[in-house]
Amino acid sequence: MYAANHWGGSLEIATENDHEDQNRRNKNGDQDIDRASLYNIQSQHSGALDETQQSWLLNPDDASRKKTKSKYVDLGCIVVKRKVLKWTVIIALAAFLVIGVPIIIVKSLPKHNSGPPAPDQYTEALHKALLFFNAQKSGKLPKNNTFKWRGDSGLQDGADATDVKGGLVGGYYDAGDNTKFNFPMSFAMTMLSWSVIEYEHKYRSINEYDHVRELIKWGTDYLLRTFNSSASTIDHIYGQVGGSQNGSTTPDDHTCWQRPEDMDYKRPTQRITAGADLAGEMAAALAAASIVFRDDTTYSKKLVKGASTVWTFARDNGKRSPYSRGNLFIEPYYNSTGYYDEYMWGSAWMYYATGNSSYLWLATNEGLPKHAKAFMDIPSQRVLSWDNKSPAAMLLLTRMRLFLNPGFPYEGMLRSYHNATSLTMCSYLENYQYFNRTKGGLIDLAQGKPQNLQYVVNAVFLASLYGDYLESANLPGWYCASTFFPVKKIREFATSQMDYILGKNPMKMSYVVGHGKKYPRHVHHRGASIPNNRVKYSCKGGFQWMSSGKPNPNNITGAMVGGPDRFDKFKDVRSDYSYTEPTLAGNAGLVAALVSLTATAGDGIDKNSIFSAIPPMFPMPPPPPPPWKP
């Protein structure tokens, strides 16, 4: 009998004897044929099978089977070595334990939103610097005021100003005393508003936007009370509440050391009938704030109306004199050296707030910088302060050239402002040694005089902001004569100065209270130095706390003190105000500088919000004609 061979040919696989053996096995019920027996039978009767037959029909012998089983495992679809399978299983199990189990555990835990990045030191310092304004508030304080050692104060301020409804309650105390100086207070509000206009996105990012707006409004509400803001023209402004005269022996803000809440002496107001500088700065503050509050139409319009009124007072020919001239309550403390810089500064802000081109025409009138000496190459003209606004005004107008480019007839003066601003930035660079520096690296903008830090922070803000302007205008840097400097050069100046203030200095001390591990503990400040123990200390009795060698019982967090001398030395002594007294204007510059530098809150500026009130500079192109029809 033959069976079909799938490989060709025939295979002889059965004989008659085989049939007989098969029948015999069937009878015995044996259904399974032993291939090994079959092999033996076939070997006996027909000889050994060829290789093809063996490979198709036969299993290996017993010895070969044992040997193969010890080396291979048949997985059905593949045959693998037993050792390989063993190690594969071990590795897979180890990988599961090392990788899979942790993943399962993490996946099974409840999910939480990832938090914001850790704030840099500028952001941390900024949070604190804003708090200082809460410590300086006068009037009836909100219930959520940060400092528990502060309370309502100055509720009778302006009682002698009978023409002012509700008196002159509110505003801010200037420094460590209890005087409200409206000139530097206005400058502080302008600086805060400017910083918000440029860096609103940063304030929002660190959840300080509402706070800083509330601080600005606290100041502008008070400024609106100091004159008849509902009138079109006025003949006087109240420029100060409280204060002192040199050599005075009567109880006042300087001869008494009392908490603001305990003041029991007279606080006279200063009625200003001529003061273009004070009025110009107030107009700038109100105009800048109107842009901050552009989302509150009613309040914004109120601010613009007040700015317009006080600006008219500033421009009145009969009132063009410094507000401090001959006033013994003002001149020794915040004496103004001129008002043309306020004309430049105020007219720029009035233009941004209203879009009225008459303000831009005035801001670019060549007579203003000439009288303000803005283009003179002298150190004092490169320093922004509560007294000299020229550097800030020129940078503010340079902004217009970079982003709006209004052209004729403004381009000539705007180019001059731009060039002067570039030279101011050059003067800050150590390459030119225009200003002296301490051995520790602090630029000496006070030219050897005390309280230098208030000028340094203003320079940091201008430098950082100028860098942002250049980058937003796609400019890689600027020229100092024939030398080109990249933007990073001015940023290095800004960060180096701020780092010094925050602790990278020979004293290893932060000059912002509450920032870092080492900072001034004997701040020259009445409210911070007297315990809030429900004891009312008299005018003279309070001096025991001024002369005390103990640290202040109340921490005035965020206050930037006057700072070190030109030898990097600092005396943490309460009685020496030149080292340890903070000021409102100084902290406003600090806030502006810090928000410009912080990286965790984003970068860049808001290019367009400041221009929101300005109409198109050029005629709009006419609409296209309708489609032609036959």
Side-chain angles (χ1 to χ4, degrees):
M1 182 176 180
Y2 293 87
N5 182 1
H6 296 285
W7 291 279
S10 62
L11 292 174
E12 186 179 345
I13 61 173
T15 65
E16 289 183 5
N17 291 336
D18 294 335
H19 285 294
E20 291 178 1
D21 291 340
Q22 181 66 40
N23 291 336
R24 185 166 58 252
R25 285 188 173 88
N26 287 342
K27 290 178 181 179
N28 294 331
D30 187 358
Q31 300 297 322
D32 296 325
I33 300 176
D34 186 335
R35 290 188 178 185
S37 299
L38 178 61
Y39 173 78
N40 292 332
I41 295 171
Q42 290 174 335
S43 298
Q44 295 172 2
H45 294 282
S46 60
L49 295 175
D50 63 24
E51 290 182 2
T52 302
Q53 292 170 333
Q54 292 181 38
S55 65
W56 183 43
L57 293 174
L58 304 178
N59 286 328
D61 57 24
D62 292 340
S64 298
R65 186 184 302 114
K66 290 179 181 178
K67 186 175 180 181
T68 303
K69 285 184 178 179
S70 66
K71 291 184 178 180
Y72 295 94
V73 176
D74 188 352
L75 299 178
C77 60
I78 189 171
V79 177
V80 298
K81 286 186 177 181
R82 182 180 296 274
K83 185 177 291 186
V84 172
L85 179 62
K86 175 184 176 181
W87 282 107
T88 300
V89 172
I90 291 173
I91 293 172
L93 181 60
F96 174 74
L97 293 175
V98 173
I99 301 175
V101 171
I103 291 176
I104 293 173
I105 293 174
V106 171
K107 292 289 186 181
S108 64
L109 294 174
K111 294 183 178 181
H112 298 281
N113 294 328
S114 59
D120 57 26
Q121 69 162 342
Y122 304 133
T123 305
E124 292 176 347
L126 175 58
H127 288 303
K128 296 179 174 67
L130 286 166
L131 293 178
F132 172 74
F133 291 88
N134 293 71
Q136 296 300 102
K137 285 181 178 178
S138 177
K140 190 169 183 61
L141 302 185
K143 293 181 179 180
N144 62 347
N145 196 55
T146 310
F147 296 92
K148 301 304 180 184
W149 48 270
R150 282 300 325 278
D152 299 343
S153 63
L155 300 183
Q156 299 303 313
D157 283 356
D160 57 340
T162 56
D163 59 326
V164 178
K165 185 178 181 181
L168 299 172
V169 178
Y172 292 98
Y173 299 116
D174 176 66
D177 53 23
N178 300 330
T179 308
K180 296 193 294 196
F181 291 101
N182 294 0
F183 190 47
M185 188 194 307
S186 299
F187 174 70
M189 295 304 104
T190 312
M191 290 292 285
L192 288 183
S193 292
W194 193 8
S195 74
V196 173
I197 294 167
E198 302 285 9
Y199 299 108
E200 178 180 328
H201 57 292
K202 291 190 176 187
Y203 280 112
R204 288 186 181 276
S205 176
I206 61 173
N207 297 318
E208 289 285 6
Y209 180 64
D210 291 337
H211 182 203
V212 70
R213 278 171 48 116
E214 186 270 330
L215 296 177
I216 294 169
K217 190 173 187 298
W218 190 271
T220 53
D221 281 351
Y222 167 77
L223 293 178
L224 288 171
R225 296 188 191 108
T226 63
F227 65 98
N228 185 358
S229 58
S230 62
S232 298
T233 58
I234 54 175
D235 60 6
H236 69 277
I237 301 171
Y238 288 101
Q240 183 174 314
V241 179
S244 175
Q245 293 189 50
N246 280 339
S248 172
T249 57
T250 60
D252 57 32
D253 283 330
H254 286 173
T255 60
C256 294
W257 194 270
Q258 286 182 298
R259 298 171 68 241
E261 295 79 3
D262 297 335
M263 295 182 297
D264 54 7
Y265 47 81
K266 292 183 178 180
R267 290 169 52 78
T269 57
Q270 302 304 311
R271 194 171 186 266
I272 306 300
T273 56
D277 37 18
L278 171 63
E281 184 57 69
M282 290 176 64
L286 298 175
S290 74
I291 302 173
V292 173
F293 292 97
R294 62 190 179 279
D295 57 333
D296 184 346
T297 305
T298 301
Y299 190 62
S300 183
K301 288 182 177 179
K302 183 178 181 180
L303 291 169
V304 170
K305 175 64 174 61
S308 177
T309 299
V310 78
W311 181 255
T312 301
F313 178 93
R315 293 290 293 164
D316 189 322
N317 283 327
K319 298 175 174 55
R320 295 187 183 183
S321 65
Y323 87 110
S324 56
R325 181 175 294 172
N327 190 314
L328 298 180
F329 282 91
I330 302 175
E331 203 168 32
Y333 308 105
Y334 284 102
N335 182 46
S336 173
T337 56
Y339 53 83
Y340 279 97
D341 56 314
E342 278 82 23
Y343 278 170
M344 293 170 59
W345 178 239
S347 58
W349 280 115
M350 290 297 293
Y351 177 65
Y352 285 139
T354 66
N356 187 328
S357 60
S358 65
Y359 295 115
L360 180 58
W361 178 87
L362 178 61
T364 54
N365 186 298
E366 62 181 10
L368 294 191
K370 178 181 178 181
H371 289 293
K373 302 178 181 179
F375 296 148
M376 290 187 67
D377 189 18
I378 54 177
S380 61
Q381 287 303 316
R382 308 285 185 204
V383 180
L384 170 62
S385 70
W386 53 264
D387 182 35
N388 177 31
K389 284 65 176 231
S390 293
M394 291 190 290
L395 177 59
L396 191 62
L397 291 163
T398 296
R399 189 192 210 283
M400 180 177 299
R401 182 173 191 246
L402 290 173
F403 301 126
L404 291 187
N405 192 20
F408 182 83
Y410 313 111
E411 170 60 18
M413 189 54 61
L414 291 180
R415 186 192 305 113
S416 297
Y417 289 150
H418 192 170
N419 291 338
T421 297
S422 296
L423 291 175
T424 296
M425 299 302 150
C426 299
S427 73
Y428 295 157
L429 302 182
E430 199 167 4
N431 306 54
Y432 296 101
Q433 299 181 345
Y434 192 84
F435 290 101
N436 292 329
R437 274 175 165 75
T438 68
K439 289 185 178 181
L442 183 68
I443 192 170
D444 184 12
L445 298 177
Q447 297 179 272
K449 297 178 181 178
Q451 297 178 313
N452 182 43
L453 294 189
Q454 61 178 314
Y455 311 118
V456 175
V457 291
N458 289 342
V460 170
F461 175 60
L462 295 186
S464 182
L465 185 58
Y466 186 59
D468 282 336
Y469 284 175
L470 293 178
E471 289 187 340
S472 295
N474 296 317
L475 297 174
W478 84 107
Y479 278 93
C480 296
S482 60
T483 304
F484 179 81
F485 289 101
V487 172
K488 71 175 184 179
K489 193 71 176 178
I490 200 66
R491 294 202 184 282
E492 288 171 358
F493 161 77
T495 55
S496 69
Q497 299 305 299
M498 186 55 68
D499 290 348
Y500 182 105
I501 293 171
L502 296 182
K504 194 175 181 180
N505 55 63
M507 298 291 293
K508 306 297 183 197
M509 169 180 279
S510 165
Y511 294 111
V512 177
V513 177
H515 181 78
K517 295 181 180 180
K518 183 182 179 183
Y519 51 83
R521 305 282 181 167
H522 303 79
V523 180
H524 183 95
H525 191 276
R526 285 158 174 77
S529 65
I530 301 176
N532 182 24
N533 55 8
R534 298 185 181 181
V535 175
K536 181 177 180 179
Y537 296 93
S538 66
C539 170
K540 300 300 181 183
F543 275 96
Q544 63 178 294
W545 301 108
M546 193 273 284
S547 57
S548 169
K550 296 181 180 180
N552 287 349
N554 307 310
N555 215 33
I556 185 163
T557 303
M560 184 184 73
V561 296
D565 60 24
R566 58 195 178 99
F567 303 107
D568 295 309
K569 300 299 183 182
F570 178 80
K571 296 179 181 179
D572 190 8
V573 179
R574 190 178 299 111
S575 58
D576 196 336
Y577 67 88
S578 64
Y579 289 104
T580 58
E581 186 172 26
T583 65
L584 204 67
N587 254 74
L590 175 65
V591 167
L594 287 170
V595 76
S596 73
L597 292 176
T598 174
T600 50
D603 55 18
I605 57 165
D606 180 344
K607 287 174 59 175
N608 299 318
S609 291
I610 198 171
F611 302 134
S612 57
I614 298 177
M617 301 293 295
F618 307 101
M620 296 294 290
W628 180 81
K629 292 182 180 181

